[in-house]
Structures are given as structure tokens and as C-alpha cells.
Amino acid sequence: MSIRFQVEHHDRVGSTNDLAREHALAGAPEGLVVQADQQEAGRGRRGRAWASPQGNLYCSLLLRPDCVPAVAATLSFATVIALGDVLTDLLPDSTIQHKWPNDLLIGGKKVSGILLEAGGAAGNKLEWLVIGLGVNIVSHPDQALYPVTDLRAEGLADIPPADLLTLFLERFALHYAAWKEGGFSALLPAWKSRAVGLGRNIQVRLENHVLEGCFIDLDADGTLMLKLPEGNVRRVTAGDVFLATSSAD
Ligand SMILES: O=C(O)CCCC[C@@H]1SC[C@@H]2NC(=O)N[C@@H]21
């Protein structure tokens, strides 16, 4: 059976992920979605802040997949594919791409971010998973790490966040069903079809250093497989991907 979503809307929260986690701990069922017009303490990956002014989409989905955390983490790919489907429909003339691990780009610029958080006893199946999704609709932050955009800047007439959320949830339900049926491998063709840098030389910026090599594939849990110049393959579980400029690819 397809998942049914129930959206709980707030004008302003600290972080929709925090509120969804509180609901999860209080026993809320799978399918609860917390959406807010603004966040006062929006969080991004790797401890970064996520600027959250009015007009953009901020939401967190509560899921209770029956699996261990590493498997559940591959649902970030279902999330980015679902949003990619929606934006491909809304902006048919734009280049929509997935950037590992879970960014969505329009014309090479980041338009959204995903933050997964999960709970449960260590080593066991998780009890809850919160998928936080932010989409820049009318504004985006200025920052130097990589180019960023929003849907308005890409030529889309302003879409209400709630409408974008509805479209996203419809697509997510399909990919979630495929994932439950066939696992991560059921998502891979769709993810790869819009992947940035697959088969090319890329840079992966880690916490303290930078790796450069050929992005040859993803493995069964979504880890990036990077073939280094020395010929060995390095598995990368976290980092920021950039197309390499110095390489002959
Ligand atoms: O760093 C990233 O790319 C991930 C950003 C995730 C932001 C979303 S907005 C809704 C949810 N609530 C948060 O505090 N963060 C996520």
C-alpha cells in the first residue's frame, strides 16, 4: 500500500527536523510531515546552518522503515529523485541534475538540501527516520562554497511552498514504494540518469583534505566509489563533490 502523508503546518519553528523528531519520539506514525513557513534554527549537513526566510519550502518527513540505518540512508536518493522529477516537469527547459550525495542542481547551481536524521538502539533496526528537505523557491543564500539558486531566479513563477510539497510527496510516495519493493538498486537508474560527474574526474572535499579521481559508480549503500590516479578505488561516505578542473576528462 502506498504511504499516506499528513501535513502539519507551522508559521515558524526552530527546525522542522527537530519537531518531526519530537513527534517520532512521542510515537507519531509514519507519514507525518512537518512543514514551516520559516525556521529560526534551520540546520544543514555537516553542522552548517540553513537560512530559512519566508517563501521557501522547509519540511521534514517522518518514516519508520524496517531496516538498519545504512539502508535507510539510501532514502535520501529517493528524496532527491522525487524532487528532480517535480522540477523537471516544472522547468522542462532547464538542466536538472543530482549531485552526490543528495543535492539537486539547476543549471549547475544548488536549489535544495536534504538532511537525514534517525533514531534507534545502536546496531539495530532504526525506530524512526526524519528526512528534512529545504527547497529555495523565492530566495537563496549568498555563500562561497558552491553556486546556489532558487526557482524564481530560474524563471519559475512563484509556487506556494505547500503546492510544491504536494507535488513532491506524490512523487516521493512512488519512489518510496519502489525502494521498499526493490531496495536501493531500484532507485539507481533514475539517480544515475541525472548524476553530475559520473564517469568523470571529480574532486571530493572532505573535512580536512581533498580527493581527486574518477567517479566510477555508487555501491550498494550509496557510497561514492572514486578511482584514484594510483588505480585503487576509494569509497567515500561523506564529502562535497565538485567537477575537477585540472584533469583531462
Ligand atoms: O546542508 C544541506 O544541504 C541540507 C539542508 C537541509 C535543510 C532542511 S530545511 C527543512 C529541514 N529542517 C532543517 O533544519 N533542515 C532541513
Side-chain angles (χ1 to χ4, degrees):
M1 203 178 75
S2 180
I3 183 169
R4 295 171 75 90
F5 290 107
Q6 177 153 15
V7 178
E8 178 186 284
H9 173 265
H10 297 261
D11 295 338
R12 186 187 285 258
V13 297
S15 156
T16 56
N17 266 35
D18 291 347
L19 201 47
R21 186 188 61 230
E22 283 172 25
H23 286 312
L25 294 172
E30 164 160 297
L32 176 73
V33 180
V34 176
Q35 185 208 346
D37 294 338
Q38 296 177 60
Q39 297 184 117
E40 284 159 354
R43 290 184 282 110
R45 291 194 302 125
R46 305 173 77 184
R48 296 174 189 140
W50 186 260
S52 306
Q54 183 109 19
N56 298 331
L57 174 62
Y58 314 107
C59 64
S60 298
L61 283 58
L62 169 60
L63 302 179
R64 295 190 183 275
D66 186 27
C67 60
V68 296
V71 174
T74 62
L75 282 168
S76 66
F77 292 86
T79 310
V80 78
I81 296 165
L83 185 63
D85 291 347
V86 172
L87 297 190
T88 300
D89 288 348
L90 294 174
L91 290 166
D93 297 328
S94 299
T95 304
I96 309 289
Q97 289 174 301
H98 308 147
K99 185 163 83 77
W100 186 90
N102 51 33
D103 287 340
L104 195 72
L105 309 184
I106 303 178
K109 299 175 186 171
K110 174 164 165 158
V111 70
S112 67
I114 295 168
L115 181 67
L116 257 58
E117 293 176 321
N124 291 337
K125 288 181 177 179
L126 52 76
E127 282 155 21
W128 54 268
L129 175 73
V130 168
I131 300 181
L133 171 66
V135 185
N136 301 331
I137 297 179
V138 300
S139 65
H140 62 268
D142 285 329
Q143 54 94 7
L145 187 60
Y146 39 68
V148 186
T149 192
D150 59 69
L151 299 182
R152 179 190 277 174
E154 297 301 322
L156 186 70
D158 293 356
I159 178 168
D163 293 2
L164 184 62
L165 176 59
T166 300
L167 294 173
F168 165 74
L169 293 176
E170 281 169 16
R171 300 301 304 204
F172 181 83
L174 299 177
H175 294 295
Y176 187 43
W179 178 89
K180 284 209 274 193
E181 180 79 20
F184 178 51
S185 57
L187 304 177
L188 267 175
W191 191 84
K192 287 183 179 179
S193 70
R194 293 195 285 241
V196 172
L198 188 60
R200 296 181 60 184
N201 280 323
I202 61 166
Q203 263 191 3
V204 189
R205 297 189 194 160
L206 310 180
E207 208 68 60
N208 297 316
H209 67 293
V210 177
L211 293 171
E212 206 159 310
C214 181
F215 177 7
I216 54 172
D217 208 350
L218 296 182
D219 79 1
D221 61 4
T223 298
L224 186 150
M225 296 167 75
L226 193 69
K227 186 164 184 188
L228 301 177
E230 307 80 54
N232 51 319
V233 174
R234 171 87 180 255
R235 298 174 77 258
V236 183
T237 54
D240 289 309
V241 166
F242 297 84
L243 287 178
T245 48
S246 60
S247 54
D249 62 340

